[in-house]
Amino acid sequence: MAQYAQTGRAFLNRITDTWARLMEPNNAAVPDADIVETALAQAPVVWMLGKVQSGKTSIIKALTNCSDAEVGTGFSPCTRTARMFDFPANVPLLRFLDTRGLGEAHYDAVEDIAFCESRAHLLIVTMRALDPQQRSVVDVVAQVRARHPDWPVIVAQTCLHEGLPKTGRLPMPHPFAEGAFEKSGSLDVVPLDLRRSLTYQRSLFQDVKGTGAIHFIPIDFTQPEDGIAPSDYGRDALFEAIASAAPDALVATLKSLQTAAVDVGAGRLRSQIIGHASVAAAVDVMPLAGAIAVPAVQAKLLKVLGEHYGVGWDRRSLSEFAGCLGVGIVSRLLASLGIRQVAKLVPGYGQTVGAASAAATSFATTFALGQAASYYLRSRTLASFEDGDVAKAYQEALKEAVGLAAKTTPDVAKASKGSHETG
């Protein structure tokens, strides 16, 4: 029994020492810049195409639950007239590419089109519902579809409230289902001028070639203080369109972030946890790299979570957290990391199944570790600590992570099924 306790303490000390060393400011095992670069390389890109003030920012806010200020200051330039918004900034799960010059005089879209279409995974076009001057936007869509005829397009027709009488209300429930414009009488609840304008905008796409579907989604995203209810009108319809048009990994990422719709703080933490887990999966594909990189990414995640809760990690708190996880979980974390690195060296198997399994397990264990650390830090600040709850939070998160890894990291989908057994 004494020997078992001594071995268990050795496991806990080892992982505590590893985290503490990797959290040191001068430690460069995996520089922050490398983590960001890895995240950027794998984050899906949503191309927001539309004129100025056509509702692009409102859609980004709806998908990420960021504030106006966060979106407004979060863009960075990537061409003279295009810019990128990364969410979250340090380990982006999603990137939003915005072309700003459409509809402006002397704007040449050639450079922006070439840049955007080489990176985009989904095209969302925004049009103010009462703005008929959309030729510049439609022309760009036509050019892109000429080269990518199978690309689906989502056309968000925005600012519907501008077409309502002063005392009017948005029609409920959302009446703009697929085929509603073709069905006689189905849109009688929509003011005539607004209905005509929406129909006209749709007609502009009749000559756009291609086999990919074009989805038209009338929406109205406003601030609660504007007094227009609901303030997220058409949000569910937009998500349904994205789910039918976007790559599986992008859809899974959006769904995984919807905790933010209920609790913004929890959603922000979740985005950080998923982002770091995705980076851990990406760096663990390469032989031997994960032995250093994965613990470094996990340590950086713990540091981010500590900063969120205003808790500075030290050896004592790290040791307590490791102890709350338990010897069983810690020993499996350490053992499985070594086994995965060896498996990746097996010729043939290592470069396919071995690498995929390593990535899946690194995603799952990093996600579970982040969720458990979040629970620990939250409970610690609230002085509501229960024995066994941190380990339970880890195990529950591990089960969720297995399915999430298969969807958000397609390359490891086949191997993720059994990854929780090694965590």
Side-chain angles (χ1 to χ4, degrees):
M1 184 66 70
Q3 184 179 2
Y4 174 79
Q6 185 176 3
T7 302
R9 176 50 56 186
F11 281 132
L12 297 178
N13 287 341
R14 180 180 171 189
I15 203 163
T16 298
D17 291 344
T18 299
W19 287 336
R21 175 172 50 82
L22 291 172
M23 285 184 186
E24 293 174 359
N26 60 346
N27 187 284
V30 179
D32 290 344
D34 289 354
I35 290 180
V36 174
E37 184 178 351
T38 301
L40 291 176
Q42 64 183 9
V45 176
V46 180
W47 182 4
M48 306 297 299
L49 181 66
K51 295 165 65 175
V52 174
Q53 296 184 339
S54 59
K56 290 177 286 187
T57 297
S58 295
I59 291 176
I60 294 174
K61 287 170 52 187
L63 297 180
T64 63
N65 260 313
C66 287
S67 65
D68 284 320
E70 288 172 313
V71 176
T73 60
F75 277 103
S76 58
C78 45
T79 72
R80 288 175 297 175
T81 49
R83 55 183 186 164
M84 191 83 77
F85 177 80
D86 295 334
F87 175 80
N90 56 338
V91 280
L93 294 170
L94 291 173
R95 312 188 75 197
F96 295 89
L97 189 52
D98 176 27
T99 45
R100 293 178 289 171
L102 291 176
E104 299 177 4
H106 310 299
Y107 169 66
D108 184 357
V110 173
E111 179 185 10
D112 284 348
I113 292 174
F115 180 86
C116 295
E117 71 176 295
S118 66
R119 291 162 174 78
H121 298 86
L122 176 67
L123 177 60
I124 298 180
V125 179
T126 54
M127 297 182 170
R128 292 181 82 100
L130 296 187
D131 181 3
Q133 306 300 322
Q134 300 291 342
R135 179 49 58 188
S136 60
V137 177
V138 177
D139 285 347
V140 172
V141 175
Q143 293 175 47
V144 172
R145 287 266 289 211
R147 288 184 289 275
H148 307 279
D150 59 332
W151 276 21
V153 178
I154 295 175
V155 182
Q157 297 174 285
T158 65
C159 304
L160 301 181
H161 66 273
E162 295 177 349
L164 301 178
K166 290 185 178 180
T167 58
R169 291 176 174 270
L170 293 166
M172 291 293 292
H174 190 266
F176 305 100
E178 197 75 29
F181 279 81
E182 291 76 30
K183 186 177 180 180
S184 177
S186 63
L187 294 178
D188 288 348
V189 294
V190 181
L192 181 59
D193 288 345
L194 176 58
R195 190 163 72 241
R196 285 174 173 170
S197 183
L198 293 172
T199 302
Y200 172 73
Q201 288 183 347
R202 289 169 177 244
S203 71
L204 297 176
F205 289 83
Q206 289 180 349
D207 295 329
V208 174
K209 308 298 183 182
T211 57
I214 300 179
H215 305 270
F216 296 91
I217 313 296
I219 61 175
D220 196 85
F221 295 163
T222 56
Q223 299 289 350
E225 57 267 25
D226 293 334
I228 302 170
S231 59
D232 59 350
Y233 188 76
R235 185 175 183 272
D236 289 345
L238 177 62
F239 269 81
E240 288 178 10
I242 291 175
S244 66
D248 291 343
L250 192 154
V251 174
T253 298
L254 287 174
K255 288 182 177 179
S256 71
L257 296 177
Q258 289 317 295
T259 304
V262 178
D263 183 338
V264 173
R268 299 291 169 78
L269 284 183
R270 186 175 175 84
S271 68
Q272 289 287 344
I273 292 169
I274 297 174
H276 282 83
S278 299
V279 172
V283 298
D284 205 6
V285 170
M286 299 300 294
L288 294 181
I292 299 174
V294 173
V297 172
Q298 292 173 345
K300 290 181 187 298
L301 171 58
L302 293 178
K303 187 175 181 180
V304 167
L305 296 176
E307 291 171 350
H308 173 85
Y309 286 104
V311 175
W313 289 103
D314 54 25
R315 299 187 73 85
R316 180 178 178 180
S317 57
L318 288 171
S319 179
E320 183 182 68
F321 173 55
C324 290
L325 286 173
V327 173
I329 290 175
V330 169
S331 62
R332 289 196 297 273
L333 277 171
L334 294 172
S336 66
L337 183 62
I339 292 170
R340 296 198 306 272
Q341 306 318 310
V342 173
K344 287 185 292 184
L345 297 177
V346 178
Y349 174 91
Q351 283 69 54
T352 54
V353 180
S357 178
T361 304
S362 288
F363 179 97
T365 54
T366 303
F367 177 84
L369 186 67
Q371 292 288 75
S374 181
Y375 179 89
Y376 165 81
L377 292 167
R378 182 172 65 252
S379 300
R380 192 167 181 257
T381 56
L382 297 175
S384 58
F385 218 78
E386 295 286 342
D387 287 342
D389 282 355
V390 174
K392 182 180 178 182
Y394 179 92
Q395 296 291 4
E396 290 177 349
L398 198 63
K399 294 177 183 177
E400 179 189 358
V402 172
L404 190 58
K407 295 176 181 178
T408 57
T409 52
D411 292 340
V412 304
K414 293 182 180 179
S416 65
K417 184 177 179 181
S419 62
H420 65 288
E421 297 176 359
T422 60

